[in-house]
Amino acid sequence: MDALDRKILTELQLDGRLTVTELAARVKLSVSPCHRRLRDLEREGAIRGYRAMVDPAAVGLNFEALVFVTLRWEDADTVSAFEEAVAAVPHVLQAQRLFGDPDYLLRVATADLAAFQQLYDQQLARLPGVQRLNSTLVMKHIVDDRPLPE
């Protein structure tokens, strides 16, 4: 990946709806080579996909929490069962496995505190292998969905 590929990625992170013609103009390349580089980046997996970024509050998800999860055991079967189950919970927006304690960090969005409490009690606490959950509420997003640095 060279500097031109990185510039293409930067521009697309800023505006994923750019046409190939607009993208080519921004990176100072003609359309055909730009299109070829774009397809190569997609094929190689540097570009994983395109999507709309939706404001959670606009769809009624006004409450966000970070949930730290510690597993009872960390054997392969428990980890696999937990990860498969957590991936099936729609209100979990992000799930990251961590080194050390806790084992996982989940970013969860719900309508309100009551909905979070219900999700916590009925789904999160019942995930396979969970020993302990610890939550903190998100007060404000300072940096959110920032493009990757060049």
Side-chain angles (χ1 to χ4, degrees):
M1 181 174 304
D2 63 14
L4 198 48
D5 288 335
R6 291 186 186 281
K7 180 67 175 160
I8 289 170
L9 293 175
T10 298
E11 291 298 331
L12 287 174
Q13 287 179 92
L14 295 172
D15 185 355
R17 295 183 67 174
L18 289 173
T19 66
V20 176
T21 303
E22 292 168 328
L23 179 60
R26 288 191 185 188
V27 299
K28 299 186 182 1
L29 195 62
S30 61
V31 173
S32 291
C34 183
H35 189 258
R36 201 168 26 258
R37 282 177 176 263
L38 180 59
R39 293 295 167 237
D40 287 346
L41 290 166
E42 292 169 346
R43 189 174 49 256
E44 293 165 3
I47 297 174
R48 296 188 310 198
Y50 302 89
R51 64 184 176 98
M53 295 172 52
V54 178
D55 179 4
V59 294
L61 298 174
N62 298 305
F63 187 88
E64 191 171 320
L66 300 176
V67 181
F68 300 94
V69 181
T70 301
L71 296 183
R72 190 172 273 98
W73 302 281
E74 294 184 52
D75 61 281
D77 290 340
T78 301
V79 167
S80 179
F82 173 82
E83 289 180 1
E84 186 176 316
V86 81
V89 180
H91 288 276
V92 174
L93 304 181
Q94 293 178 331
Q96 298 167 324
R97 188 171 179 193
L98 309 173
F99 276 108
D101 187 35
D103 299 309
Y104 291 89
L105 170 61
L106 311 179
R107 181 174 155 235
V108 176
T110 61
D112 52 29
L113 178 60
F116 174 71
Q117 184 262 318
Q118 184 176 5
L119 176 74
Y120 187 98
D121 291 345
Q122 295 179 7
Q123 293 185 54
L124 300 180
R126 296 179 182 182
L127 290 168
V130 169
Q131 176 184 356
R132 183 176 66 248
L133 298 175
N134 188 4
S135 301
T136 189
L137 307 181
V138 175
M139 183 187 320
K140 176 182 175 182
H141 288 270
I142 309 302
V143 177
D144 192 28
D145 293 316
R146 172 184 284 161
L148 296 174
E150 286 188 44

